[in-house]
Amino acid sequence: MPSPQLLVLFGSQTGTAQDVSERLGREARRRRLGCRVQALDSYPVVNLINEPLVIFVCATTGQGDPPDNMKNFWGFIFRKNLPSTALCQMDFAVLGLGDSSYAKFNFVAKKLHRRLLQLGGSALLPVCLGDDQHELGLPSKFTLLFLQEAPSTGSEGQRVAHPGSQEPPSESKPFLAPMISNQRVTGPSHFQDVRLIEFDILGSGISFAAGDVVLIQPSNSAAHVQRFCQVLGLDPDQLFMLQPREPDVSSPTRLPQPCSMRHLVSHYLDIASVPRRSFFELLACLSLHELEREKLLEFSSAQGQEELFEYCNRPRRTILEVLCDFPHTAAAIPPDYLLDLIPAIRPRAFSIASSLLIHPSRLQILVAVVQFQTRLKEPRRGLCSSWLASLDPGQGPVRVPLWVRPGSLAFPETPDTPVIMVGPGTGVAPFRAAIQERVAQGQTGNFLFFGCRWRDQDFYWESEWQELEKRDCLTLIPAFSREQEQKVYVQHRLRELGSLVWELLDHQAMPSPCQRTSRKP
């Protein structure tokens, strides 16, 4: 399969736009993306109809005039006889380089962006406007307008889908599901903490089938939020309004207006993630401390990638920990740049481990709590699994933002089609949902290969499987890898019993007790 091709076209008067374009070209090639970089007037503009992906980098000169090396292109692109579908095959982005002290700030970039849309091009993002007057060259995407006092009406909160709503829960409007139980299902001496968590989805409008997944929006721990605010010198209770700098940019739907700094850090900024190279690039621009800035520039350079990997990626050092290592820089970060610097927390997907036919208005998941050690003193912890494990509905009401989407697993609808399922460890979760659903519908021929370490430590749903076996609704083939000298895994059981399973499949003519006592959906 041919690699995608990027074309970077620039209009430059003093060389700045050309320098930026060549840097874009280097970054593209570093990411294995084929890239050409050309001045606009040296490119045969009639070929633009065949270009799938183009970035335009253009300066503005004089009183809103294009640079000399794009004037021919400028005259051609504004011909009135060009059809409105001329560039319908092209995805594009426009980066303008200008000076806000001039009346026609970035006039060329703005006008070019509108014209490309008129000709059928598809914009990858709103026009980007660099400002030579700005201390960083590129202003922040948002401005935080701090409020002196709390507004008299309204309250801070997340946009959520309310019970009885006609609109199904989604990422922009999740359902705040009450947590019913949070039970550890591995033995106390087992190395892995695995939780069976149940939610009440009554009135949510959520519906799902076996194989579907639930997405959960996690939050940062209170201790991490407090530490972050201390390092950056932020008041957690400070309220602000988030205002986009450009009219085409909208505020994140997950953030309320007004919003507190605590809410922003707790529910939106992914301070527990491992930072990318671009994080160090922007942090270096924001740094006022000479020694720290020098190190940040080294980390963001091509020559410093090996050292950056050893410092950050190999030990899985988080954004919060990096900021603690660069305290002078962290304390000087303008709040306006927080959303440019730190990515948003992404939802985590979990296989649904229950069926609505057996557990109406309930949704269950099986969660392995992620924790491991690197050379850093503090253990590495999974954000979502650790957050879920910390929630205790026995201490008071707990609500978790979630929504459901179709999964990639599909099960046969015909009752006489047998299914062989292989689910080692927590991978058995979606098959538990499928078995519950199939048994409730009277479907037989359920074969489950399950693997774990110890029968008495991590044999999930052992009693449930045994009860289904007694009713001839399930054939269970377990493998316990640590209960004998020679390790036995699921794949060994598959090789040993594969022929036996096929033999059993050939004798499915007689109805089983499972069929005779099945529940109707």
Side-chain angles (χ1 to χ4, degrees):
M1 182 177 177
S3 61
Q5 295 291 314
L6 170 66
L7 174 64
V8 180
L9 297 174
F10 64 87
S12 184
Q13 192 70 25
T14 63
T16 303
Q18 180 177 353
D19 181 67
V20 170
S21 299
E22 290 172 350
R23 180 181 176 187
L24 287 172
R26 288 192 296 270
E27 288 294 317
R29 288 186 284 271
R30 189 171 68 84
R31 290 166 170 79
R32 304 293 189 269
L33 183 66
C35 182
R36 294 164 290 150
V37 179
Q38 288 183 245
L40 278 157
D41 277 359
S42 69
Y43 175 78
V45 68
V46 292
N47 293 345
L48 208 57
I49 61 173
N50 301 316
E51 299 289 353
L53 185 61
V54 186
I55 297 177
F56 297 86
V57 183
C58 44
T60 297
T61 66
Q63 298 301 312
D65 299 321
D68 290 340
N69 68 352
M70 70 174 287
K71 285 186 175 179
N72 293 337
F73 166 85
W74 196 250
F76 180 89
I77 204 73
F78 282 96
R79 287 184 179 178
K80 293 183 178 180
N81 61 349
L82 294 180
S84 60
T85 57
L87 302 179
C88 62
Q89 302 295 322
M90 186 179 76
D91 292 328
F92 73 90
V94 176
L95 170 61
L97 304 180
D99 188 324
S100 58
S101 65
Y102 288 83
K104 294 195 173 181
F105 170 59
N106 268 314
F107 178 79
V108 170
K110 294 174 182 177
K111 190 172 181 179
L112 175 61
H113 187 270
R114 289 195 297 269
R115 182 56 174 163
L116 295 172
L117 290 173
Q118 291 171 357
L119 296 176
S122 178
L124 295 170
L125 69 167
V127 59
C128 301
L129 306 178
D131 184 4
D132 194 48
Q133 290 294 315
H134 194 275
E135 57 183 304
L136 298 178
L138 196 65
S140 61
K141 189 182 295 185
F142 299 98
T143 299
L144 276 63
L145 303 176
F146 291 109
L147 305 178
Q148 298 302 316
E149 56 185 30
S152 56
T153 58
S155 61
E156 180 183 80
Q158 190 174 4
R159 292 184 72 228
V160 295
H162 297 285
S165 172
Q166 299 298 314
E167 186 179 351
S170 61
E171 182 169 7
S172 60
K173 272 193 173 182
F175 176 68
L176 288 180
M179 181 183 285
I180 302 302
S181 62
N182 186 348
Q183 174 191 1
R184 175 167 175 150
V185 291
T186 45
S189 62
H190 193 58
F191 79 99
Q192 178 86 71
D193 180 0
V194 177
R195 303 299 181 99
L196 176 60
I197 301 175
E198 184 173 42
F199 301 101
D200 182 358
I201 56 170
L202 181 66
S204 66
I206 290 177
S207 179
F208 57 85
D212 289 349
V213 298
V214 61
L215 290 102
I216 292 176
Q217 188 67 52
S219 298
N220 291 305
S221 71
H224 284 173
V225 172
Q226 181 181 7
R227 181 65 177 146
F228 180 88
C229 290
Q230 287 175 345
V231 172
L232 272 71
L234 301 171
D235 178 3
D237 298 318
Q238 175 67 62
L239 291 173
F240 63 88
M241 298 291 290
L242 196 65
Q243 180 175 307
R245 288 188 183 271
E246 298 297 329
D248 295 333
V249 177
S250 57
S251 298
T253 57
R254 282 164 44 194
L255 291 179
Q257 295 275 37
C259 181
S260 71
M261 195 60 69
R262 188 191 312 277
H263 187 97
L264 173 68
V265 182
S266 298
H267 303 295
Y268 191 81
L269 299 181
D270 197 357
I271 60 175
S273 63
V274 177
R276 299 177 183 272
R277 180 179 174 181
S278 58
F279 170 86
F280 291 92
E281 290 177 342
L282 180 53
L283 197 58
C285 293
L286 297 170
S287 180
L288 303 176
H289 190 272
E290 184 177 354
L291 291 178
E292 291 185 0
R293 185 172 186 271
E294 183 179 327
K295 193 62 180 179
L296 291 167
L297 288 171
E298 183 181 341
F299 281 151
S300 60
S301 68
Q303 296 77 17
Q305 291 312 289
E306 185 174 343
E307 187 176 358
L308 176 60
F309 182 83
E310 290 297 326
Y311 167 72
C312 199
N313 299 81
R314 187 184 295 280
R316 310 302 294 170
R317 197 182 302 268
T318 67
I319 285 177
L320 175 57
E321 289 169 329
V322 171
L323 293 173
C324 291
D325 285 348
F326 293 84
H328 299 92
T329 299
I333 295 173
D336 286 359
Y337 283 90
L338 288 175
L339 278 76
D340 295 89
L341 185 66
I342 303 173
I345 298 174
R346 298 176 64 85
R348 270 58 166 183
F350 296 90
S351 295
I352 298 174
S354 59
S355 169
L356 289 171
L357 301 180
I358 301 297
H359 302 281
S361 302
R362 294 289 190 267
L363 187 155
Q364 297 179 357
I365 57 175
L366 192 65
V367 179
V369 181
V370 177
Q371 179 174 320
F372 58 95
Q373 195 73 49
T374 67
R375 60 181 173 84
L376 300 178
K377 181 180 179 181
E378 185 73 19
R380 307 295 91 186
R381 293 180 173 88
L383 174 62
C384 190
S385 61
S386 297
W387 174 69
L388 286 171
S390 72
L391 303 176
D392 184 2
Q395 299 297 315
V398 174
R399 292 180 177 269
V400 173
L402 57 79
W403 63 98
V404 167
R405 76 176 183 205
S408 56
L409 284 175
F411 296 91
E413 297 181 1
T414 51
D416 57 347
T417 303
V419 178
I420 300 174
M421 293 161 272
V422 182
T426 56
V428 76
F431 300 126
R432 189 219 188 196
I435 291 168
Q436 286 186 349
E437 197 164 280
R438 287 171 59 81
V439 169
Q441 294 171 339
Q443 295 173 316
T444 58
N446 302 308
F447 297 86
L448 175 62
F449 286 82
F450 172 75
C452 64
R453 293 193 172 207
W454 307 92
R455 182 187 295 271
D456 63 345
Q457 294 294 321
D458 54 341
F459 191 179
Y460 311 127
W461 299 302
E462 178 184 10
S463 59
E464 185 173 320
W465 304 139
Q466 291 173 345
E467 177 62 28
L468 291 174
E469 280 193 296
K470 289 179 184 177
R471 293 165 50 194
D472 291 332
C473 297
L474 174 68
T475 299
L476 176 68
I477 304 97
F480 306 106
S481 64
R482 300 297 194 274
E483 290 197 349
Q484 55 281 312
E485 283 190 23
Q486 187 172 0
K487 295 179 180 179
V488 177
Y489 296 105
V490 165
Q491 53 265 40
H492 298 131
R493 291 287 184 246
L494 283 167
R495 284 196 293 267
E496 293 169 2
L497 302 175
S499 58
L500 175 61
V501 170
W502 290 115
E503 190 176 318
L504 289 169
L505 292 176
D506 289 335
H507 294 82
Q508 292 289 320
M510 295 297 293
S512 71
C514 183
Q515 286 177 299
R516 294 194 293 269
T517 61
S518 64
R519 294 174 55 183
K520 297 299 180 184

